[in-house]
Amino acid sequence: MSRLVIVGASGHGKVVADIAALNAYTNIIFADDNKDIRICAGYTVVADSRHAPEGDLFVAIGNARFRKDLMRLYRNRALPVLIHPTAVIARNVEIGEGSVVMAGAVINPGVRIGKGCIINTSSSIDHDCVIKDYVHISVGANLSGTVTVGEGAWIGAGATISNNVDICPNVTIGAGAVVIKDIGESGTYIGVPAKKMFKYNTSR
């Protein structure tokens, strides 16, 4: 198989490299802006994020905005979908370019996943969910049926989204939060049930 360049020599990049190797990539290298990083997961770091060498390319950066910018920069490159062999994915699931599905994830029938998404370890997405571009479904998060998650949203570790819920773009759902109704305003939501977190002026 052709070379894979992974942009982002981080913990996330290490996991992506392992999945890439399990997907039969044998020539894996990294690109990262930190000049002090020379090796990541046993692979060489050869360039910065905006001057990646030739080959298939995967953007392994957790920040959705940076991931989007770099995927646009490299839009003319092959941006593969990487799936861990232990993930369980229904036959009619759609997954966009540059997305990764990690170990133990379960994705049920009728799900549509956009480009540049992270479906993290042991997360589950039930039937007919729509996951828009650049979404991160964190470790152990659970989405019930017919959930829509807007572009750039982050669903925190162990969070639960009840069925038939719509989440607007650029929302962060805190770890362990339980979302039981639609979220129509961007921001950070925490707790059980999840509520928007506000910053209060305590200087008075």
Side-chain angles (χ1 to χ4, degrees), residues 1 8 25 57 59-60 80 103 143 154 171 196 201:
M1 186 172 281
Y25 279 100
L57 186 136
V59 180
L143 277 61
W154 182 303
V171 164
K196 189 172 184 181
N201 184 354

Side-chain angles (χ1 to χ4, degrees), residues 106-111 124-129 142-147:
V106 177
I107 305 174
N108 280 327
V111 172
S124 66
I125 303 174
D126 216 323
H127 65 89
D128 301 309
C129 289
N142 297 289
L143 277 61
S144 301
T146 325
V147 168

Side-chain angles (χ1 to χ4, degrees), residues 60-81:
I61 293 176
N63 182 286
R65 182 171 61 85
F66 294 155
R67 193 159 70 251
K68 180 178 181 177
D69 288 347
L70 286 167
M71 284 185 64
R72 284 181 169 178
L73 175 67
Y74 293 113
R75 60 187 175 274
N76 294 324
R77 300 277 284 270
L79 304 171
V81 174

